[in-house]
Amino acid sequence: MTQRSRGQCACRQRGARLGGWSKMSCVGSTLGSKLFLKSLGRISSPLFLVSEVFGMELFSDNHFAGSEDSYSYIDVGWLDEFPIFKESVLRIAARTQAPIELVVSVVLAVIALVCQHLIDVRRPWGSIGPVSLIIFLIALSGERKTTVEEVTASVLRAFEGRRKSLDFQKIKEWSVLWELWERKKKKIQKNLLDEDVGSIAYQQLESALLAHANSEPVRPFVFRMIHQDVTTAALSKSLDQDCPSAALFTSEGDIALRGSINQIGMMNAYWDGSGVEVGRASTGHYSLKDVRLSIGIGVQPGVFNEYLERKGELGKASGFFARSLVFYPKSTQGTRFISGEVQLSLDRYTKRMEELLEENVRKFDARDSSKLVVGFSPEAGEELKRIHNSIESEMQVGGRYERARDHGSKQTENISRVAALLHFFETGGTQISLPELSAVEKIVMGCSVVYKRLFSFSPQVVTDGDALVSWLRARCDRSVFRRTRRNEILQRGPSGLRRATRLNRAVDYLVEKGLVREVVSGRVAEIELI
């Protein structure tokens, strides 16, 4: 068997699926060897190795990408508790023939935008926080990301368009008033130069200048919630001067990933609702408190891989990706046959969106930042505690979140946010039911599969696992036995793995991927190739 063929794999599922959870492993994951990857000239940094193993290989046309368990999955039955949401998703999917998961991600991002200025969510243990979301949709070109986004956000863009003409008229009037105000200020300043300092005339002009400063016309606010190609500075300025609730939406993810998303710390602060202090030489200092920002980015796999190479390590270390819901839908290309015209009727969705937008405008014009607090019913509250504790226990050694603790720590937060958004969007109420929570748990946990495949293991663990599996296979080629004593690896194995700590992590990684299993015979610990 050649070195490259040994690197090929097929994925399978380990363990049971429960409520959208799936414990995954990959039999013979496409690791290859570090030497083989170097021969292709594809390792420029340890992080790039991760993007190759969990990025490009994840999305390439191989056995891994072909596995059903490689994709995020949503059963439409999970949406039964949210009839308006479900109806809109199914009708948009039928009209565009895009994957259900793709449509869900886009509709959910739009709902987050229109609701985040209106509500906060209270968890059963008392903490209250925002409901903003960060959503990454990873899909191939031609998957109709742009079409779905245009359909879903059309009611929002039409509403913004109507408001835009009114706001721009106010801006024109303000510009004239400000110009007149500026001329008067300059006239007073000029007259001051003609008077002696300390004279009565000087003091009168000084008082007039101070009074004039306090009468400066205030710039009207512009109702603009959707941003696409925008710098971080421009986005911050818009949140301060205009609409304090906005979203960064784009189906062409390279625009955002090479722009405002580069300021990861600021994006995290917006998601947390913790406020941001901004200082600029051109605009001065201002505070962004109680602002809300959601992010919805549709990106092609290759572009996402390039972003991982540049910012992946920082994004993971800072918790940016851990805060995100990552959707990777299975493609419908090749099955989108035309059988007749499909009418698209989104009356209930449009009506509810317009109601929420009107409420946004009312609060926006009044500069009212108060929010309705959405909580959980007693039964749902107890269930959310159970979910939290279950995830927490899985962060221990051997748990499914052992190597994705940052992600696990945000799961309950995202579940509570999505539950509050969908409950309020459907009913306008303030108490999330147990069935609603159970449905949302499945949706959010379904996104966890892709995240863990992208980010669960550190570059060093991946490298060590690659080296160990190559060494074991080379050794087994010369023997009928598939087992190797652990002590023998410590004595004669790859040089970097002759320390127990690194060897244990590499073995754990390979066990998780389904490449090896640990066997104990009496007092002898062995590693067996599968």
Side-chain angles (χ1 to χ4, degrees):
M1 184 181 291
T2 65
Q3 188 174 24
R4 182 170 184 176
S5 64
R6 291 190 196 108
Q8 302 305 311
C9 74
C11 289
R12 64 183 174 89
Q13 177 174 340
R14 293 177 66 203
R17 186 183 297 271
L18 177 60
W21 291 60
S22 61
K23 192 170 185 178
M24 313 297 300
S25 69
C26 183
V27 180
S29 178
T30 312
L31 298 170
S33 69
K34 190 171 183 180
L35 179 62
F36 173 66
L37 289 174
K38 277 185 176 178
S39 71
L40 296 180
R42 296 174 67 177
I43 296 181
S44 57
S45 68
L47 180 65
F48 191 42
L49 178 60
V50 173
S51 73
E52 287 298 315
V53 175
F54 290 104
M56 188 65 77
E57 296 299 341
L58 170 61
F59 305 119
S60 65
D61 186 19
N62 56 20
H63 294 296
F64 183 79
S67 168
E68 294 295 329
D69 294 316
S70 302
Y71 305 102
S72 51
Y73 172 73
I74 293 176
D75 188 320
V76 293
W78 299 347
L79 311 182
D80 288 345
E81 296 299 322
F82 312 106
I84 301 177
F85 179 62
K86 179 179 180 179
E87 178 186 79
S88 61
V89 166
L90 292 179
R91 291 186 176 182
I92 293 171
R95 179 68 178 84
T96 62
Q97 296 185 305
I100 289 291
E101 294 78 13
L102 187 156
V103 180
V104 166
S105 69
V106 177
V107 177
L108 189 57
V110 174
I111 290 175
L113 171 58
V114 298
C115 294
Q116 65 186 5
H117 191 54
L118 308 179
I119 64 171
D120 281 337
V121 59
R122 183 199 303 273
R123 284 160 283 277
W125 42 92
S127 64
I128 300 176
V131 294
S132 306
L133 299 178
I134 300 174
I135 293 176
F136 278 96
L137 168 64
I138 304 171
L140 296 170
S141 177
E143 211 63 69
R144 298 179 177 170
K145 300 185 295 293
T146 302
T147 303
V148 172
E149 192 270 340
E150 288 176 351
V151 171
T152 305
S154 61
V155 59
L156 178 55
R157 288 200 165 90
F159 190 93
E160 273 195 347
R162 294 192 296 270
R163 173 74 189 214
K164 187 176 182 179
S165 58
L166 176 63
D167 287 342
F168 278 11
Q169 182 60 37
K170 291 180 179 179
I171 289 292
K172 284 182 180 180
E173 294 173 359
W174 167 80
S175 297
V176 173
L177 292 174
W178 191 88
E179 181 67 26
L180 294 173
W181 177 89
E182 181 70 9
R183 287 182 182 180
K184 187 174 181 180
K185 182 182 77 170
K186 290 180 179 179
K187 183 177 181 180
I188 297 174
Q189 290 173 331
K190 181 180 179 181
N191 291 337
L192 273 171
L193 296 175
D194 297 332
E195 303 294 337
D196 294 330
V197 176
S199 68
I200 295 177
Y202 187 92
Q203 293 175 1
Q204 289 175 342
L205 288 170
E206 191 176 56
S207 297
L209 184 60
L210 291 173
H212 183 69
N214 292 327
S215 67
E216 181 179 1
V218 178
R219 179 184 178 276
F221 302 117
V222 175
F223 185 77
R224 184 186 180 192
M225 300 180 78
I226 297 180
H227 299 269
Q228 282 186 304
D229 187 2
V230 62
T231 65
T232 305
L235 180 61
S236 299
K237 184 177 179 180
S238 178
L239 288 168
D240 177 54
Q241 294 187 351
D242 294 322
C243 196
S245 175
L248 183 61
F249 284 166
T250 177
S251 57
E252 301 299 333
D254 58 323
I255 296 175
L257 294 176
R258 295 189 178 108
S260 54
I261 298 299
N262 279 312
Q263 297 292 329
I264 290 175
M266 186 172 287
M267 297 300 108
N268 286 347
Y270 288 141
W271 187 88
D272 294 338
S274 57
V276 177
E277 298 292 325
V278 180
R280 296 282 186 273
S282 56
T283 60
H285 179 274
Y286 55 91
S287 297
L288 294 174
K289 295 182 178 179
D290 207 29
V291 300
R292 297 290 184 262
L293 178 73
S294 283
I295 298 173
I297 296 177
V299 60
Q300 295 178 26
V303 174
F304 191 67
N305 285 330
E306 190 269 338
Y307 178 75
L308 289 183
E309 183 183 357
R310 290 187 296 108
K311 291 286 187 177
E313 186 173 4
L314 176 60
K316 187 177 189 302
S318 68
F320 177 67
F321 290 121
R323 291 168 167 82
S324 306
L325 297 174
V326 183
F327 291 82
Y328 175 43
K330 184 178 180 181
S331 176
T332 57
Q333 295 186 46
T335 64
R336 301 176 302 194
F337 304 112
I338 298 175
S339 58
E341 184 178 358
V342 178
Q343 297 294 331
L344 181 60
S345 175
L346 298 174
D347 293 343
R348 290 206 296 170
Y349 171 81
T350 301
K351 182 176 181 294
R352 182 57 178 151
M353 279 288 176
E354 289 178 344
E355 291 172 354
L356 294 170
L357 287 167
E358 289 289 353
E359 181 62 14
N360 271 274
V361 167
R362 186 192 67 76
K363 292 175 70 66
F364 168 72
D365 287 338
R367 304 310 283 178
D368 178 7
S369 61
S370 65
K371 293 174 179 60
L372 193 67
V373 177
V374 177
F376 294 81
S377 70
E379 298 82 5
E382 290 301 314
E383 177 63 11
L384 188 63
K385 292 177 185 177
R386 185 201 66 77
I387 293 170
H388 171 82
N389 292 337
S390 176
I391 294 172
E392 184 69 23
S393 68
E394 293 288 351
M395 295 184 200
Q396 300 179 46
V397 175
R400 71 187 70 192
Y401 287 107
E402 175 192 358
R403 296 179 179 84
R405 290 173 178 169
D406 54 346
H407 172 62
S409 68
K410 302 298 182 185
Q411 286 294 81
T412 307
E413 175 83 8
N414 270 324
I415 290 170
S416 64
R417 291 184 182 214
V418 176
L421 286 168
L422 291 181
H423 172 79
F424 183 73
F425 177 76
E426 291 288 336
T427 68
T430 59
Q431 191 172 86
I432 300 163
S433 69
L434 178 58
E436 289 174 329
L437 175 61
S438 298
V440 168
E441 179 193 4
K442 296 173 184 177
I443 296 171
V444 174
M445 289 300 183
C447 297
S448 197
V449 174
V450 179
Y451 177 91
K452 288 191 288 183
R453 289 194 176 280
L454 283 170
F455 301 111
S456 288
F457 292 94
S458 70
Q460 187 62 63
V461 171
V462 174
T463 303
D464 287 347
D466 182 19
L468 178 56
V469 78
S470 297
W471 184 84
L472 290 172
R473 285 172 174 161
R475 187 178 185 280
C476 289
D477 276 352
R478 300 190 298 269
S479 172
V480 296
F481 298 104
R482 305 284 290 174
R483 296 182 182 180
T484 303
R485 291 186 178 187
R486 182 183 284 267
N487 283 342
E488 186 175 347
I489 300 175
L490 289 170
Q491 295 169 6
R492 300 184 178 88
S495 59
L497 300 178
R498 295 178 185 178
R499 287 180 294 172
T501 302
R502 281 181 63 177
L503 175 61
N504 291 341
R505 291 172 181 167
V507 171
D508 288 345
Y509 167 69
L510 296 177
V511 169
E512 175 69 18
K513 305 309 292 178
L515 290 167
V516 303
R517 65 168 61 95
E518 295 182 90
V519 180
V520 178
S521 302
R523 294 185 177 182
V524 179
E526 298 178 307
I527 308 300
E528 181 181 9
L529 273 171
I530 296 176

